[in-house]
Amino acid sequence: MEVKISDSIKYIGVDDKDIDLFESQYIVENGIAYNSYLILDEKIAVMDTVDKRKTDEWYKNLETVLDGKTPDYLVISHLEPDHASNIKTLAEKYPQMKLVGNVKTFNMLPQFFDFDPEGRTVTVKEGDTLDLGSHKLTFFMAPMVHWPEVMVSYESTEKVLFSADGFGKFGALDTDEDWACEARRYYFNICGKYGVQVQNLLKKASTLDIKTICPLHGPILTENLEYYINLYDTWSKYEPETDGVFIAYASIHGNTKAAALKLYDILKSKTDKKISIADLSRSDLAEDVEDAFRYSRMIVAAPTYDGGVFPIMNDFLHHLEIKTYRNRKVGIIENGSWAPMAGKVMTSYFEKMKNIEIVPTTVSIRSSMKEDTTALLEQLADEILA
């Protein structure tokens, strides 16, 4: 797919449609884009490389755009292998090319490659600039968005922000899909733990006149940038994006499922807020994490299992904990045939999270729903909506 940025800034990235799991954990039905860019000026700068899965295709794109020229710089925004796998091969191919990074970049570089870059590095810090001719890059450090060495670059002539993993999304570039859905799933599962650091980066970006955002994954953003920036601001503040309820349930034999579905119907009858429901055993866990952060309220429902909580619910809550889930209202449904413990375990997770309001009513089911279960679900619905 041909991607047009400008006459001087060229897209040389590649789509990967053969990958099944990004980072060996995230389902990517529509693949992923590894973005890389080339700035053509008096000095030529390569902006990041790509994953080793697409080395040959990337080199073909690079050499086509270079058309016999030699790059002067390789700017290393992020050392994660999906962007940095070809640093060594590129450095060996162009021995006069300088590597541009920060102190943390070059401290970590030997962990990935066994070549010596001494004499070839340009170490930059916050606010430093690299003069390419008519184009000038200014560097801003973005530690822990989402690795410690990450930095972004702002090209002031064409007002382009090279945003590293920020504003990225799953999906190949030729995928026709809503940006927010896959960008949200990408953000909360990959960068979600680091909301404070993303806020720090957004503050820096707010001082810049940005016309184009060039991320390392996903489409180049050129229109309505306020929309994307506002979403990132909401997400990184851990504020709900949608006023509604997400019901996340796990069920062994269908009894907990029946309660979750009954609650769904009750909630639909009581409010026009959006209500979403997911069977954790059969849905994409990354999407479930995304929805937990998206909605203002959540109900979790699960059976007791081996004296604790059903494993997939435990996994879901563990993911929320490590991604610093917070600022939400939650309700709990547990099931247990002889010694219910699921509610206690789920509550213990939420008690470790910041600013979580657990509603008073915990619905406890003994094996299957009975007449009084519906009344308790009605009460739980009222409390979660209050």
Side-chain angles (χ1 to χ4, degrees):
M1 179 180 179
E2 184 177 351
V3 179
K4 172 75 172 180
I5 301 173
S6 75
D7 291 338
S8 300
I9 301 177
K10 303 293 187 179
Y11 180 81
I12 55 172
V14 292
D15 279 341
D16 185 351
K17 298 182 180 180
D18 302 318
I19 189 171
D20 59 340
L21 293 174
F22 181 70
E23 290 189 354
S24 295
Q25 59 180 323
Y26 302 116
I27 297 169
V28 281
E29 292 182 354
N30 293 319
I32 191 82
Y34 308 121
N35 294 343
S36 174
Y37 308 91
L38 192 68
I39 303 177
L40 298 170
D41 207 322
E42 295 171 23
K43 300 286 187 179
I44 297 173
V46 180
M47 308 298 290
D48 295 290
T49 73
V50 301
D51 193 279
K52 63 184 178 182
R53 293 169 54 87
K54 291 294 179 177
T55 293
D56 292 343
E57 188 175 341
W58 177 72
Y59 267 116
K60 182 178 179 182
N61 292 346
L62 172 64
E63 290 165 1
T64 297
V65 177
L66 281 173
D67 193 25
K69 302 182 183 69
T70 300
D72 298 278
Y73 300 105
L74 167 62
V75 176
I76 305 169
S77 304
H78 184 19
L79 273 175
E80 198 167 6
D82 54 324
H83 309 299
S85 288
N86 291 284
I87 290 175
K88 179 181 177 182
T89 60
L90 190 68
E92 290 173 343
K93 184 177 179 67
Y94 298 107
Q96 303 306 311
M97 182 188 71
K98 301 284 189 180
L99 307 181
V100 181
N102 55 69
V103 170
K104 291 178 181 177
T105 307
F106 296 122
N107 284 342
M108 292 175 66
L109 194 66
Q111 298 173 198
F112 293 94
F113 305 104
D114 60 0
F115 78 104
D116 184 3
E118 186 176 354
R120 299 183 59 183
T121 61
V122 177
T123 303
V124 297
K125 60 183 185 302
E126 183 79 16
D128 282 355
T129 61
L130 182 68
D131 192 339
L132 303 177
S134 62
H135 294 77
K136 293 176 176 57
L137 290 170
T138 302
F139 301 99
F140 298 93
M141 302 303 110
M144 299 316 302
V145 185
H146 58 120
W147 278 26
E149 88 304 348
V150 174
M151 66 182 189
V152 304
S153 311
Y154 176 67
E155 199 294 296
S156 54
T157 300
E158 299 196 54
K159 306 182 189 310
V160 177
L161 179 69
F162 296 94
S163 60
D165 271 340
F167 299 98
K169 69 175 283 292
F170 296 124
L173 291 196
D174 64 358
T175 301
D176 183 16
E177 63 186 1
D178 176 65
W179 182 89
C181 181
E182 285 294 72
R184 186 189 302 109
R185 185 166 72 102
Y186 177 93
Y187 173 84
F188 282 115
N189 286 279
I190 293 177
C191 301
K193 180 180 177 66
Y194 305 107
V196 172
Q197 292 84 351
V198 173
Q199 278 289 302
N200 292 337
L201 181 57
L202 289 176
K203 288 183 176 70
K204 296 176 184 181
S206 69
T207 67
L208 305 173
D209 182 11
I210 301 170
K211 301 298 184 187
T212 303
I213 297 176
C214 290
L216 287 177
H217 294 296
I220 286 77
L221 307 177
T222 57
E223 298 177 354
N224 196 19
L225 296 187
E226 186 177 3
Y227 166 74
Y228 306 107
I229 293 170
N230 285 343
L231 278 178
Y232 253 65
D233 186 47
T234 296
W235 297 342
S236 57
K237 287 178 178 174
Y238 301 98
E239 294 175 349
E241 182 186 343
T242 301
D243 185 15
V245 184
F246 174 51
I247 304 170
Y249 75 88
S251 189
I252 303 173
H253 299 296
N255 290 310
T256 309
K257 175 182 178 180
L261 293 175
K262 180 64 176 177
L263 177 65
Y264 177 86
D265 291 339
I266 291 170
L267 287 168
K268 294 289 283 187
S269 71
K270 289 178 177 288
T271 183
D272 58 0
K273 298 181 190 299
K274 186 170 177 59
I275 312 297
S276 180
I277 189 167
D279 178 352
L280 297 179
S281 297
R282 292 168 175 80
S283 54
D284 175 8
L285 185 60
E287 285 194 8
D288 300 328
V289 170
E290 169 200 345
D291 281 341
F293 279 97
R294 178 179 181 178
Y295 289 92
S296 56
R297 303 163 176 85
M298 180 170 68
I299 302 286
V300 290
T304 299
Y305 193 87
D306 285 344
V309 68
F310 196 56
I312 191 64
M313 177 60 76
N314 193 76
D315 195 20
F316 172 64
L317 294 174
H318 169 70
H319 276 73
L320 294 187
E321 181 184 3
I322 63 175
K323 300 303 179 184
T324 64
Y325 184 73
R326 61 184 69 179
N327 303 334
R328 298 297 190 277
K329 189 176 186 179
V330 301
I332 293 170
I333 301 172
E334 69 167 0
N335 197 341
S337 293
W338 59 91
M341 285 295 295
K344 183 177 180 180
V345 174
M346 291 188 284
T347 298
S348 70
Y349 269 105
F350 291 121
E351 288 176 341
K352 292 181 286 185
M353 302 175 191
K354 291 184 178 180
N355 196 25
I356 297 294
E357 178 190 352
I358 304 174
V359 303
T361 297
T362 293
V363 177
S364 187
I365 303 167
R366 287 300 183 105
S367 301
S368 61
M369 291 178 60
K370 300 295 187 291
E371 287 185 14
D372 63 342
T373 308
T374 299
L376 288 171
L377 291 173
E378 292 272 359
Q379 188 172 325
L380 177 60
D382 289 337
E383 290 174 3
I384 201 72
L385 293 173

